[in-house]
Amino acid sequence: VLSSLLFLSATHYYNVPRVGGVHKRDHRGIRIVVIIMVLVKGITSGFLTRETYLIIGAVFTVSNALLILSVSKTNGKEKLIDWDYLGLLFSRVSPYLWSSIGISCAIGLSVIGAAWGIFITGSSLAGAAIKAPRITSKNLISIIFCEAVAIYGVIVAIILQTKVEFAPRMADGSYSDRSMYSGYAVLASGLTVGLANLVCGICVGTVGSSCALSDAQNPTLFVKILVIEIFGSALGLFGVIVGIIITANVAFKNPED
């Protein structure tokens, strides 16, 4: 329903080229969208599969994009969204704010991923160990892999914090281009590491849970599933490597300062 409303809003507010100096609304798009949505509803009312949800998600995403593009067009002489002003607003935001957000995301999202993975693996391990106590010692390696995700975030957060240094404002009160670049680079690095470790922690926790349950039933499956878990834990390292590369040229101060 939300996707339909957004799509309708986007097609309703979209401005077609001027005709006689006046913007005309193209209401044919609304009728077409209504027909499409009714057909989709009729087709998917009996069976909502994973593919159907993907289609709905795609329509929702396209609707958001169309809505943003439509309201950003000019309406007469006034702009509904002044992108120039928003760009000026973001250019005036302190780079230290972006740096702080990046550092907090690096450690925060990594800890969330590690905690999520330990929760999934630990609960399965504790439950399966009731019937098969022998799996406890071997499957602790899954907990270690999840904890390593948080360690990645701590290491990167410390590295990013050491790169932040004081840089004075320019005469007009703004920050230099180098300082702004450094702030955005630290933000991008922190988000890269944090999101990668978040997904990595969930992946390792899910596979570790399956490993514990499989080991309880068939001990020969432990090593085979452990290999899969090792490949899953490598995903966090990819984020750490890219995050460190992003901040390779970070320097808040100009060389001549």
Side-chain angles (χ1 to χ4, degrees), residues 219-231:
T220 60
L221 296 176
F222 175 76
V223 177
K224 298 177 182 179
I225 300 180
L226 184 63
V227 174
I228 302 175
E229 192 172 353
I230 293 173
F231 280 108

Side-chain angles (χ1 to χ4, degrees), residues 65-224:
L66 289 177
L67 187 61
I68 293 175
L69 291 175
S70 62
V71 299
S72 64
K73 286 181 172 292
T74 55
N75 185 8
K77 296 182 179 180
E78 299 180 356
K79 288 186 177 181
L80 297 177
I81 296 180
D82 193 346
W83 296 106
D84 295 334
Y85 175 75
L86 290 179
L88 177 63
L89 182 64
F90 277 95
S91 65
R92 294 290 179 173
V93 176
S94 172
Y96 298 104
L97 173 63
W98 302 125
S99 301
S100 301
I101 294 176
I103 296 172
S104 61
C105 287
I107 179 63
L109 294 177
S110 299
V111 170
I112 291 175
W116 201 336
I118 293 174
F119 167 73
I120 297 174
T121 303
S123 58
S124 299
L125 179 60
I130 297 175
K131 294 295 185 180
R134 59 177 177 77
I135 70 171
T136 305
S137 58
K138 289 193 301 182
N139 285 274
L140 284 178
I141 191 171
S142 300
I143 304 296
I144 297 174
F145 281 151
C146 293
E147 188 66 25
V149 173
I151 296 176
Y152 296 157
V154 172
I155 294 173
V156 174
I158 294 174
I159 294 175
L160 296 180
Q161 181 60 40
T162 58
K163 291 182 176 292
V164 178
E165 55 185 355
F166 174 75
R169 293 175 181 263
M170 296 191 297
D172 59 351
S174 61
Y175 290 93
S176 63
D177 293 338
R178 179 176 290 273
S179 298
M180 295 301 298
Y181 163 78
S182 299
Y184 283 118
V186 174
L187 173 64
S189 176
L191 287 175
T192 301
V193 175
L195 293 175
N197 287 331
L198 174 62
V199 177
C200 177
I202 297 174
C203 174
V204 173
T206 305
V207 177
S209 174
S210 302
C211 183
L213 297 176
S214 300
D215 186 25
Q217 296 293 327
N218 187 356
T220 60
L221 296 176
F222 175 76
V223 177
K224 298 177 182 179

Side-chain angles (χ1 to χ4, degrees), residues 243-254:
I244 293 176
I245 294 175
I246 291 175
T247 58
N249 297 322
V250 167
F252 283 81
K253 290 183 179 180
N254 292 320

Side-chain angles (χ1 to χ4, degrees), residues 35-88:
I35 294 174
I36 294 175
M37 290 302 171
V38 170
L39 291 176
V40 171
K41 174 61 180 176
I43 295 173
T44 62
S45 60
F47 50 96
L48 287 176
T49 62
R50 181 180 300 180
E51 290 76 12
T52 304
Y53 285 116
L54 291 176
I55 294 174
I56 294 175
V59 173
F60 180 75
T61 304
V62 174
S63 303
N64 281 321
L66 289 177
L67 187 61
I68 293 175
L69 291 175
S70 62
V71 299
S72 64
K73 286 181 172 292
T74 55
N75 185 8
K77 296 182 179 180
E78 299 180 356
K79 288 186 177 181
L80 297 177
I81 296 180
D82 193 346
W83 296 106
D84 295 334
Y85 175 75
L86 290 179
L88 177 63

Side-chain angles (χ1 to χ4, degrees), residues 12-34:
H12 177 70
Y13 287 107
Y14 191 82
N15 292 326
V16 298
R18 289 175 177 269
V19 177
V22 180
H23 283 287
K24 298 293 184 180
R25 304 292 186 184
D26 187 9
H27 297 282
R28 292 176 299 176
I30 299 178
R31 292 193 293 268
I32 295 175
V33 171
V34 170

